[in-house]
Structure formats: structure tokens, C-alpha cells
Amino acid sequence: MDLRRLSSFLAVVEEGHFGRAATRLFLSPAAVTGHIQQLERSAPRCWSGAR
């Protein structure tokens, strides 16, 4: 997992909006969306080893 992806996720949760999160992170909304998508794809791999 990448810290940038987690930071994007946290910003979206705190701001409640992808656009505001992007502004806060000095990124485009598309970049934030990409980070969340990458996080979603990587999550099953991380959780599968935790059982």
C-alpha cells in the first residue's frame, strides 16, 4: 500500500467530496480517483494474508 493512496482516501473521507479532497492535496480530481481505484485493487491482496 502506498502512503499517497491512503492520504487521498483519508482526504476524501474527511472532506466528503473528491473535488475538495483534490484541492486540499493539490491534485486533480482524476488523480485522487485514480489513487482510490488503485487502493481498491490492492486491498484484497493486503487482506488475504491477514487471516
Side-chain angles (χ1 to χ4, degrees), residues 34 36-45:
I36 301 302
Q37 288 173 339
Q38 292 169 356
L39 187 60
E40 288 173 338
R41 283 194 298 269
S42 69
R45 285 185 278 146

Side-chain angles (χ1 to χ4, degrees), residues 11-31:
V12 171
V13 170
E14 290 176 346
E15 297 292 336
H17 191 273
F18 277 80
R20 287 192 296 267
T23 299
R24 172 175 149 182
L25 296 169
F26 303 103
L27 297 171
S28 70

